[in-house]
Amino acid sequence: WLPCLTMIYFYLKVAELPKGELRTKVDLGCNFYVEAKVPDPKHVCVAVGFGFYVECTHEEALALIDKRVALLNKRCDQLTEDSSKIKANIRVVLEGLGELQFGRSPAAEA
């Protein structure tokens, strides 16, 4: 998600809006594209979750993307911390099993 959001953010910042109708292609899935016509390109639809979309201006979309990126970064940090704790617990269990099996810690051998 994060690289896609970054690309969209950059596009919304840099892109100049066409004056009239916008013609584009939309991916329906499995790389099957159809032509689409956007009557008013001043507004975009942003997926906010649970299948809901919000129609907003480019500035509002940029604000939503900023919030989403911050939320994803926070979630990523939390998952990294959780995985580190799990890895540490696995190491403790393996050392305990080594002590039970061999009477000494495998870490002491290294």
Side-chain angles (χ1 to χ4, degrees):
W1 273 89
L2 199 53
C4 182
L5 283 177
T6 306
M7 181 189 71
I8 292 169
Y9 184 85
F10 177 75
Y11 176 76
L12 289 175
K13 277 276 206 196
V14 174
E16 291 183 21
L17 296 175
K19 297 298 179 208
E21 182 179 84
L22 173 68
R23 298 176 77 131
T24 185
K25 291 185 179 180
V26 177
D27 186 4
L28 295 179
C30 298
N31 290 326
F32 184 77
Y33 290 89
V34 294
E35 188 175 309
K37 296 178 185 176
V38 180
D40 183 18
K42 295 176 184 166
H43 291 85
V44 293
C45 289
V46 179
V48 293
F50 298 110
F52 291 102
Y53 292 83
V54 175
E55 184 177 342
C56 54
T57 65
H58 285 231
E59 291 79 21
E60 293 168 337
L62 290 172
L64 284 172
I65 290 172
D66 282 337
K67 289 179 183 179
R68 177 79 52 90
V69 167
L71 180 69
L72 289 173
N73 283 331
K74 184 178 177 182
R75 181 72 174 137
C76 182
D77 292 341
Q78 182 63 42
L79 290 173
T80 301
E81 183 180 324
D82 291 346
S83 68
S84 296
K85 288 178 183 178
I86 291 170
K87 188 175 180 180
N89 288 338
I90 290 171
R91 186 172 303 248
V92 168
V93 169
L94 287 176
E95 286 183 16
L97 288 173
E99 287 180 17
L100 288 174
Q101 191 174 17
F102 301 111
R104 63 184 185 281
S105 173
E109 295 174 3

